[in-house]
Amino acid sequence: MELRPGLEGVPVAESAISYIDGQRAILAYRGIPVEVLARESCYEETAWLLLKGDLPTQRQLADFDEQLRHHRRLKYKIKDLIKCLPETGHPMKALQAAVAALGMFYPAKDVSNAQTNWESAIRLIAKIPTIVAAFHRLRHGDDAIDPRDDLDHAANFYYMLFEKEPTPAVRKVLDACLILHAEHTMNASTFSGRVTASTLADPYTVVSSAVGTLTGPLHGGANEEVLDMLDEIGSVSNVGPWLDRALAQKRKIMGFGHRVYKVKDPRATVLQELAEHVFAESGKPLRYQIAVELERIATAFLGPKGIYPNVDFYSGIVYAALGIPKDLFTCIFAVSRVAGWLAHWLEQLQNNRIYRPDQIYIGKKDVPYIPLDQRP
Ligand code: COA
């Protein structure tokens, strides 16, 4: 038996949800390239596509959208629970706790019931943005803002965070960010959700497992480090000298490199285009100018090694420019990725076998038990 650390290269499921070609910069959801979806679709439609396998008809999308809007509100007990959490705690932990608690209010134990499963999926996608926004407002001593039924998913999320509607360009970039992060094959949080799903646990437990896995700095979170790095560089003219020093010290350039992509991450390309639209309104922030220069110079050195910007290189800059605080970045990832997690949950249930991998035992054997009073 050969151990493959991190299960690298070991398939753990057959999946028809998303596909990556890391040499050709392709990420496709149900066969549709993600950049096409980011340009043409909206998060609601993309979520349906991931969950159901095909694009919805007009009628299906309208019904789905209405259902999502209908289920955005939180029960007052969930709001009370969120209020009781320490305001200094990380928002991802608040999200995980609240998602787990949802499962006590909306029992969904019978995962063989397709109708209940669909209702749970809608509830989770609809309520997670409300939970994130409520925790964010309450921790600053502000009232949580009720969702607005007249706004779409992205615009309503922005409204619940800031109590104002986004401009069309800001709405579009936020919606596209949600589309771009909605699914990414068998990553750690998706796998953790599938493992939990394989025990036939309810979907709230499945999603809270996945949220917990996403909290780790090796998974969500590199975009925060990109911002720190850009702030450390400080000016466009310092990019060259800073990079020389960083490469000499064998430092990693945050937001560069990917286990799967050996060319520029297609999501980074889309995000950059969208960022340009937003910045056309508000002016290019210094961080963005530094990032563009860093990409230009660093690519000359790192490109030949297959190291290019990944999705995190521009996402943090965009979020920060929208006024979103750094510790909410991973929550936005979860607001989006819940669609992918739920698609994998439903797929796992179609052909389920409980995950029970093996191990290579390297501990002691045949150790005698020495009574306590005879031990040295
Ligand atoms: N900057 C400079 N060099 C990098 C680099 C980066 N961002 N990413 C990888 N490299 C170099 C490594 O130093 C190593 O060089 P060596 O062979 O001379 O020692 C080589 O490329 C392989 O790196 P490794 O970390 O083993 O690749 P990986 O596939 O395991 O790692 C990442 C992928 C994403 C973890 C890695 O590229 C990284 O840490 N990037 C920065 C953090 C980041 O942006 N994470 C978000 C990912 S979406």
Side-chain angles (χ1 to χ4, degrees):
M1 214 163 33
E2 186 206 349
L3 179 67
R4 304 284 281 274
L7 295 181
E8 187 176 352
V10 179
V12 293
E14 287 186 333
S15 182
I17 301 170
S18 65
Y19 164 78
I20 297 175
D21 181 334
Q23 299 295 339
R24 296 196 296 147
I26 294 173
L27 166 62
Y29 299 166
R30 302 287 189 183
I32 303 180
V34 76
E35 57 269 31
V36 176
L37 292 168
R39 206 171 47 236
E40 308 287 341
S41 183
C42 59
Y43 180 73
E44 294 85 327
E45 182 179 64
T46 300
W48 172 287
L49 172 72
L50 289 168
L51 293 165
K52 295 282 195 183
D54 292 301
L55 289 170
T57 62
Q58 274 185 11
R59 177 72 193 274
Q60 285 169 331
L61 181 58
D63 286 351
F64 182 53
D65 186 23
E66 195 192 317
Q67 288 291 305
L68 288 174
R69 288 173 198 235
H70 180 73
H71 284 286
R72 285 174 182 163
R73 277 174 181 69
L74 300 177
K75 285 184 186 289
Y76 81 88
K77 285 189 172 181
I78 294 279
K79 283 197 229 167
D80 282 355
L81 179 143
I82 297 171
K83 262 184 213 155
C84 292
L85 298 170
E87 56 272 13
T88 49
H90 197 282
M92 281 295 280
K93 291 191 184 292
L95 178 60
Q96 189 185 18
V99 167
L102 284 180
M104 298 176 78
F105 291 91
Y106 304 102
K109 214 170 151 221
D110 178 11
V111 291
S112 66
N113 184 325
Q115 183 55 30
T116 320
N117 287 355
W118 182 240
E119 287 162 9
S120 302
I122 288 176
R123 223 177 255 127
L124 277 157
I125 296 171
K127 290 189 194 305
I128 282 182
T130 318
I131 293 171
V132 171
F135 180 73
H136 176 60
R137 302 277 310 176
L138 292 166
R139 69 178 168 159
H140 288 112
D142 297 322
D143 284 332
I145 296 171
D146 283 336
R148 271 194 25 205
D149 291 349
D150 59 325
L151 297 177
D152 66 24
H153 201 71
N156 175 61
F157 180 44
Y158 183 94
Y159 171 76
M160 290 189 298
L161 285 174
F162 301 117
E163 209 174 4
K164 63 177 182 190
E165 286 181 40
T167 64
V170 166
R171 191 211 73 77
K172 176 67 196 164
V173 78
L174 187 54
D175 187 50
C177 287
L178 296 182
I179 292 172
L180 294 173
H181 288 87
E183 162 63 10
H184 209 227
T185 71
M186 200 56 71
N187 55 85
S189 57
T190 299
F191 181 46
S192 130
R194 278 191 88 126
V195 171
T196 308
S198 80
T199 69
L200 302 186
D202 71 76
Y204 302 95
T205 310
V206 168
V207 172
S208 75
S209 291
V211 171
T213 307
L214 188 62
T215 60
L218 292 184
H219 194 357
N223 48 12
E224 289 186 41
E225 293 188 48
V226 172
L227 290 194
D228 294 341
M229 178 186 71
L230 297 173
D231 292 344
E232 184 191 321
I233 297 173
S235 68
V236 175
S237 60
N238 191 33
V239 170
W242 181 90
L243 185 65
D244 287 344
R245 276 197 307 277
L247 291 176
Q249 291 164 0
K250 296 214 171 298
R251 268 179 75 175
K252 280 197 171 167
I253 314 305
M254 286 299 128
F256 266 69
H258 197 278
R259 175 64 60 78
V260 186
Y261 298 111
K262 297 304 162 206
V263 291
K264 187 168 175 178
D265 182 336
R267 300 168 299 171
T269 307
V270 180
L271 258 174
Q272 191 179 2
E273 281 167 24
L274 288 158
E276 290 273 350
H277 279 288
V278 176
F279 300 150
E281 252 177 24
S282 57
K284 286 183 184 160
L286 179 60
R287 280 173 174 156
Y288 181 69
Q289 296 173 36
I290 297 172
V292 171
E293 179 67 357
L294 181 58
E295 175 178 352
R296 190 181 70 79
I297 306 185
T299 301
F301 289 98
L302 299 174
K305 289 168 91 180
I307 300 168
Y308 288 90
N310 59 53
V311 68
D312 286 325
F313 193 63
Y314 288 109
S315 65
I317 302 171
V318 171
Y319 295 150
L322 301 190
I324 295 170
K326 273 200 281 186
D327 66 356
L328 283 192
F329 291 178
T330 317
C331 287
I332 300 180
F333 197 152
V335 163
S336 159
R337 185 57 61 85
V338 63
W341 291 331
L342 289 165
H344 280 271
W345 164 59
L346 293 171
E347 189 175 69
Q348 180 68 32
L349 291 179
Q350 278 168 22
N351 195 10
N352 187 52
R353 184 149 192 235
I354 188 168
Y355 278 103
R356 203 331 181 168
D358 219 326
Q359 62 166 21
I360 298 171
Y361 180 69
I362 55 162
K364 298 174 188 169
K365 283 185 179 162
D366 303 325
V367 178
Y369 178 82
I370 303 170
L372 187 56
D373 59 359
Q374 292 168 29
R375 286 177 217 164

